[in-house]
Amino acid sequence: MIRMSKRTDHLYLHVPFCKTICSYCDFPHQSYQPSAADQWLAALKSELSAKKINPECSTIYIGGGTPTALEPEQLDQLLTLLDPYTGCVQEYTIEINPETLDEEKAELLYRHGINRASIGFQSGDPVLLKLMNRHHTKEDTDQAVRLLRAHGIDNISLDILYSLPGETLEQVKETVREAIAMNPDHLSLYSLTIEPHTVFAAKHLSPCDADLEADMYEWICQTLPASGYQQYEISNFAKDGKQSMHNCAYWNYEDFYGISLGASGKDGTHRYDNTRSMKEYLSDPCAHTDIELSKEDLMFEMLMMGMRLKQGMDQQRFKDMFHVSVDEAYPKAVAKLKQENLIQEDEHYLWACGHGYEILNDVLEEFLPD
Ligand code: SF4
């Protein structure tokens, strides 16, 4: 029998609206329309009351889309719907696009207990921002950070996207320096992948050359720790104690609720994907597809997520869940990877070390069945 964790206490809610659509984006979203957002809020209310959600959530993450694309009254309605689950919340995050935040919204967020903001900075370069169809400047990001801090929300994360078409190492350095100058608590840096059905794909654009991208990542990994941001995950860096609790729940393979269209969740041995269709969501707010995961799938997913963390995967949790240690479940892979100095373990964790962390996908492949 597979023993899963405690009662779910992490909640992700997806807001499917954006003011404008970024050229690289394939997240579920649609252009913001006030009446569509009203209908969505009504369906969300039904979904939340139909689901037996733990009122004692420890983390809540409102992502998107662009949650702050909602008008203040709608944002207030959304946060009011979530109020019943915030009594024990330790980390309550909302994603923000800089140009959609104003004084009234910042005040609302604080009033409802939001204590962390993840801001889409992406780049400080106006030409690259235009290429991405981002409608803000680096000054807008700076202003959003100030506004949030002035209203008591002082746990700030900035997102950066690099290896953009035509981007140079110098441009990445400048963007990272500008981000550091805003003194965020946390930084997420993602390299661009071009997904089908995006504007970048339609324009046949490519990320920058792979060697250059590797140089960018190397520079990022060397520079951020020297500025007080320790790497704790492949793409994430934080000041002491400011790691994202919510995202760590994903990487530690804990269960989480996925609320609203376009969200996914995990419930024991099941993963579910909510409908991505607004039409279907409005007629059935609980519409989803359910995937039952085998023990092999679960073990591999737990390894795959946990080894993204610099500290590695929690060996005891693995054993508690599957009644077998990683060494026992994957004797050949563990022996080979240890011999090649790509992984290491102690009684608590199993982690990819040195070059192994850089080639994590190759390391993980060793754990797949022949
Ligand atoms: S704001 Fe976010 S979700 Fe919306 S289009 Fe841009 S990247 Fe996608």
Side-chain angles (χ1 to χ4, degrees), residues 96-103 106 117-125 129 134-151 153-154 156-160 175-184 187 229:
I96 291 173
N97 268 8
E99 77 281 16
T100 59
L101 187 74
D102 59 22
E103 192 104 13
S118 172
I119 304 177
F121 173 45
Q122 312 309 1
S123 171
D125 188 297
L129 285 168
R134 302 278 305 182
H135 292 248
H136 57 85
T137 60
K138 76 170 184 244
E139 288 76 20
D140 291 332
T141 304
D142 197 31
Q143 169 65 11
V145 171
R146 285 171 202 273
L147 204 52
L148 289 162
R149 290 201 171 122
H151 285 82
I153 300 171
D154 56 5
I156 308 278
S157 177
L158 298 181
D159 273 7
I160 290 173
T175 287
V176 171
R177 286 185 196 120
E178 285 166 355
I180 293 171
M182 289 183 248
N183 194 25
L187 285 159
Y229 298 90

Side-chain angles (χ1 to χ4, degrees), residues 121-126 128 138-139 158 160-162 167-182 187 189 216 219-220 223-224:
F121 173 45
Q122 312 309 1
S123 171
D125 188 297
L128 292 174
K138 76 170 184 244
E139 288 76 20
L158 298 181
I160 290 173
L161 193 59
Y162 68 96
E167 191 172 28
T168 63
L169 180 57
E170 205 39 59
Q171 282 172 305
V172 173
K173 290 182 180 179
E174 190 56 21
T175 287
V176 171
R177 286 185 196 120
E178 285 166 355
I180 293 171
M182 289 183 248
L187 285 159
L189 300 100
M216 290 170 174
W219 183 84
I220 288 164
T223 304
L224 289 180

Side-chain angles (χ1 to χ4, degrees), residues 309-321:
L309 290 168
K310 197 104 193 182
Q311 72 175 15
M313 195 210 61
D314 186 328
Q315 302 245 50
Q316 192 56 49
R317 280 199 74 229
F318 187 95
K319 201 165 180 181
D320 288 347
M321 246 162 152

